[in-house]
Amino acid sequence: MAHTITGIDLGTWSVKFTVLEVGFRHTRVVSTYEERVVVDERPFAERQREALRQGVTRLPGGGTVYFALPGEMLTLRVLDLPFADARKIEQVVGYEMEGQIIHELNDVILDHRVLSARGQVAVGDEGCRALVVAARIEDVREFLTAMAADGVEPHSLYVAPLLYRPRIPAVVVEGEPLPCRVVADIGHRRTNLCFVVGDEAVFGRTLHHGGEDLTRALQQASNGAWSWEQSELGKAQMGFLASPSRPAATNVEVRVDAILRPAIQPFLRDLRQTVSSFATRDKAPIEEILLAGGGARLANLAGFLEEELGVAVRPLLAPPESREGPDGMPLEVAVAAPEADRFVLADAIASTGVRGHKELDLRRGEFQYRASFSVVRQRASHLIVLAAALIACVGIHATITLRRLSAEQKVLKTQFQTAAKELFGETRMEAADVSAALRRSLKDEMVPLPKATAFDLLDSISTKIPAADKVQINIDDLDIRPKKTTIKGTIDSAAAVDEIVAKLKEIECFEEISKGPITEVAGGAKQFSLTIAAKCP
């Protein structure tokens, strides 16, 4: 059964929605739309939530919603650790972050992910790099409370600057360091930078600059003649930045370039510092910068940034290709295609929710998502019918299987009675009785093998008797019988008899050794006798 997943981008210009339908073998885009954040005297948060509520009313029922927290609510750090054990990393991440954040550790919520693209700064082969995100618990609680009041219960709270991916997979050259591609999503008030090494996001940052800076510059340059809406329209229609490869061609372009160039300098300064810092720290060369977002539509922005930064800059999404019809006239291009670059973050949020891969998610701990059963209640009648059908199918299958097994049991019982009669002459024997009889015929009725033979005991006695250079002994009679062994002979001293007894007690089969009387014979020798109780043979 297909269900819908929605990614919501809480932008400052508009709130954007990407709705995907996810089935067993397919995922398709149902719709993408946005609700404009109106411009008036009310606080921005109130106006943004109003746009969110309007957009939520257009969502299909029973879907799952995903959000990404903006960069200004987050702290991102990359930790170099001397070990790669997951349990150790979990234990030390908090302590490592404590010295790098301004809040108390008990006041923040953390999540981390071990990076596979380690770069050249990790220590040793056993080390790793961990990407860690932190946010104030109170900020997350207030965010979730506000979303619940607007009728939204997000399944996850991703990290917005880390969700972007280039559309083209990385080209890996053996022996060469993985290049880094930077996705720059230029919005109205903020710009998200996502650093992607190979195909993995390894760092992110949010710059507090965007298209609003350029709109304000145009309005100020008009000396109050343009309203805010007129300034936005002027930026969209006439906005331009000159570069050596594309100089200003008209007086209007010269004038607009002179207005916008100073306004974009704070953005350019922060972008240059961030890119340079990452390239120096991670030893990963910046291959290209990919532009997305509404602010990236400024005419010749890519050429201007490329000239200023010395790095290739191009759009993240290629513009739609113009095609000619049968009459030679250009075909009309779908309106949605040029708008796609403004929905990059909403698309990324929804796609991440569909994939279900491990991503940094601050909906954890006390904020863990708890599924709502409203969808189940809405489809209760369908589920009841399906459950009844399933029970009926199980009952029919069980009945058929039981009948088949009963028939097989009768056949096996007849065969069993026939075989039992041939072997034991009885027709009514239980299976346990037959098994016991078979085991008895093979094992219990056989003559048991002795634990040790008489020869084994003779060998053991010979081994334990002291050597001739230590004790002078002559064995006159050695009689080994079942459970009893007797030894008679002469020896040079009575003390040597005790020594022999001690040695013979080491033989495993011997249990008790009794000494007979010791008498003296001709030549000073001592005559002795030993009676040994044995367990074998």
Side-chain angles (χ1 to χ4, degrees):
M1 183 183 298
H3 67 284
T4 59
I5 284 181
T6 303
I8 301 179
D9 171 17
L10 287 174
T12 53
W13 169 263
S14 64
V15 179
K16 304 170 187 67
F17 300 79
T18 295
V19 183
L20 303 180
E21 183 182 78
V22 182
F24 182 67
R25 293 183 178 178
H26 74 281
T27 298
R28 70 179 185 90
V29 179
V30 177
S31 62
T32 57
Y33 61 92
E34 64 180 341
E35 292 292 340
R36 174 73 188 278
V37 178
V38 298
V39 180
D40 56 29
E41 299 301 323
R42 292 177 297 165
F44 170 75
E46 181 180 343
R47 293 183 281 119
Q48 187 184 54
R49 289 179 59 184
E50 180 183 59
L52 173 63
R53 287 192 295 270
Q54 293 174 353
V56 168
T57 59
R58 300 170 58 181
L59 291 177
T64 306
V65 176
Y66 291 81
F67 276 85
L69 292 178
E72 55 265 26
M73 292 179 60
L74 308 169
T75 300
L76 278 169
R77 294 290 185 271
V78 177
L79 304 179
D80 295 299
L81 302 173
F83 45 79
D85 184 83
R87 290 177 297 180
K88 290 184 180 179
I89 294 173
E90 183 74 30
Q91 294 170 359
V92 305
V93 159
Y95 299 103
E96 292 288 338
M97 285 290 290
E98 189 172 15
Q100 303 189 34
I101 56 180
I102 61 175
H103 306 292
E104 294 292 334
L105 191 60
N106 293 333
D107 296 335
V108 299
I109 184 171
L110 300 171
D111 194 14
H112 72 278
R113 173 166 54 87
V114 176
L115 300 176
S116 60
R118 294 175 52 192
Q120 300 177 8
V121 297
V123 180
D125 293 334
E126 296 182 357
C128 74
R129 308 187 72 200
L131 180 61
V132 187
V133 61
R136 289 184 66 243
I137 292 176
E138 192 59 34
D139 290 345
V140 176
R141 182 180 290 111
E142 290 178 359
F143 182 87
L144 290 174
T145 302
M147 295 301 101
D150 295 333
V152 182
E153 184 67 21
H155 184 280
S156 298
L157 296 177
Y158 296 129
V159 179
L162 297 177
L163 296 180
Y164 303 91
R165 296 293 185 276
R167 294 300 191 267
I168 302 175
V171 178
V172 180
V173 179
E174 187 175 357
E176 296 292 332
L178 290 173
C180 175
R181 293 176 289 176
V182 183
V183 179
D185 183 6
I186 306 175
H188 187 56
R189 290 186 178 178
R190 68 173 78 100
T191 297
N192 287 329
L193 301 179
C194 182
F195 293 80
V196 182
V197 175
D199 295 313
E200 179 184 32
V202 298
F203 187 65
R205 188 186 176 192
T206 297
L207 308 181
H208 299 290
H209 302 289
E212 185 182 50
D213 299 340
L214 306 183
T215 304
R216 185 179 296 110
L218 288 174
Q219 187 182 33
Q220 292 174 353
S222 71
N223 295 321
W226 282 7
S227 66
W228 185 263
E229 293 294 339
Q230 288 173 328
S231 301
E232 284 285 354
L233 182 61
K235 181 182 68 175
Q237 294 180 348
M238 299 182 298
F240 174 79
L241 286 171
S243 66
S245 60
R246 171 62 171 89
T250 64
N251 291 334
V252 173
E253 289 184 347
V254 171
R255 173 62 177 156
V256 172
D257 175 69
I259 295 172
L260 298 185
R261 189 173 289 268
I264 204 173
Q265 290 306 311
F267 165 79
L268 181 61
R269 180 190 63 246
D270 289 354
L271 177 61
R272 181 185 287 114
Q273 289 177 352
T274 304
V275 170
S276 176
S277 174
F278 176 85
T280 302
R281 183 193 66 198
D282 284 48
K283 307 297 188 296
I286 305 298
E287 184 179 56
E288 60 182 352
I289 298 177
L290 306 173
L291 301 181
R297 296 181 176 187
L298 186 69
N300 198 44
L301 176 61
F304 171 78
L305 293 178
E306 185 169 329
E307 195 67 32
E308 291 288 338
L309 301 175
V311 178
V313 181
R314 64 179 181 85
L316 175 65
L317 303 179
E321 298 180 358
S322 60
R323 294 178 296 172
E324 294 185 354
D327 55 357
M329 300 298 292
L331 295 174
E332 183 178 357
V333 179
V335 178
E339 301 290 328
D341 60 343
R342 297 175 55 237
F343 288 85
V344 168
L345 181 54
D347 293 348
I349 296 171
S351 299
T352 303
V354 170
R355 292 195 304 269
H357 292 171
K358 169 62 177 173
E359 283 289 343
L360 295 178
D361 184 3
L362 294 177
R363 193 80 199 261
R364 61 202 312 263
E366 63 177 288
F367 304 120
Q368 186 71 39
Y369 176 75
R370 293 174 177 81
S372 171
F373 293 97
S374 59
V375 178
V376 178
R377 289 192 293 269
Q378 292 173 4
R379 302 181 179 179
S381 58
H382 297 82
L383 294 175
I384 291 173
V385 172
L386 290 175
L390 179 61
I391 293 173
C393 292
V394 171
I396 294 172
H397 176 73
T399 302
I400 295 174
T401 303
L402 182 60
R403 290 182 178 178
R404 184 185 301 115
L405 291 175
S406 298
E408 292 179 359
Q409 183 184 24
K410 292 180 180 178
V411 174
L412 292 174
K413 187 175 181 179
T414 301
Q415 294 176 351
F416 173 76
Q417 291 178 346
T418 303
K421 185 176 181 179
E422 292 177 356
L423 287 173
F424 306 105
E426 300 180 15
T427 57
R428 295 183 179 181
M429 293 186 65
E430 296 294 332
D433 297 334
V434 173
S435 298
L438 290 174
R439 286 195 298 271
R440 186 168 58 251
S441 62
L442 296 176
K443 178 180 178 181
D444 298 341
E445 296 180 2
M446 292 179 64
V447 177
L449 292 175
K451 186 174 182 180
T453 64
F455 181 80
D456 294 330
L457 288 182
L458 176 61
D459 180 65
S460 299
I461 292 171
S462 300
T463 303
K464 297 299 181 182
I465 293 297
D469 58 346
K470 295 182 179 180
V471 176
Q472 296 295 324
I473 182 173
N474 292 314
I475 302 298
D476 299 327
D477 182 33
L478 175 60
D479 186 11
I480 300 175
R481 296 179 180 274
K483 310 301 182 184
K484 182 179 180 181
T485 300
T486 58
I487 301 175
K488 295 180 180 180
T490 58
I491 197 167
D492 55 0
S493 67
V497 176
D498 295 332
E499 183 180 350
I500 292 174
V501 170
K503 289 291 186 179
L504 293 179
K505 285 183 178 181
E506 296 177 1
I507 299 175
E508 184 179 358
C509 284
F510 291 171
E511 291 182 330
E512 182 179 356
I513 302 177
S514 301
K515 293 189 296 182
I518 299 176
T519 59
E520 187 171 349
V521 295
K526 304 296 187 292
Q527 188 175 37
F528 72 96
S529 65
L530 300 176
T531 303
I532 304 171
K535 295 182 290 185
C536 48

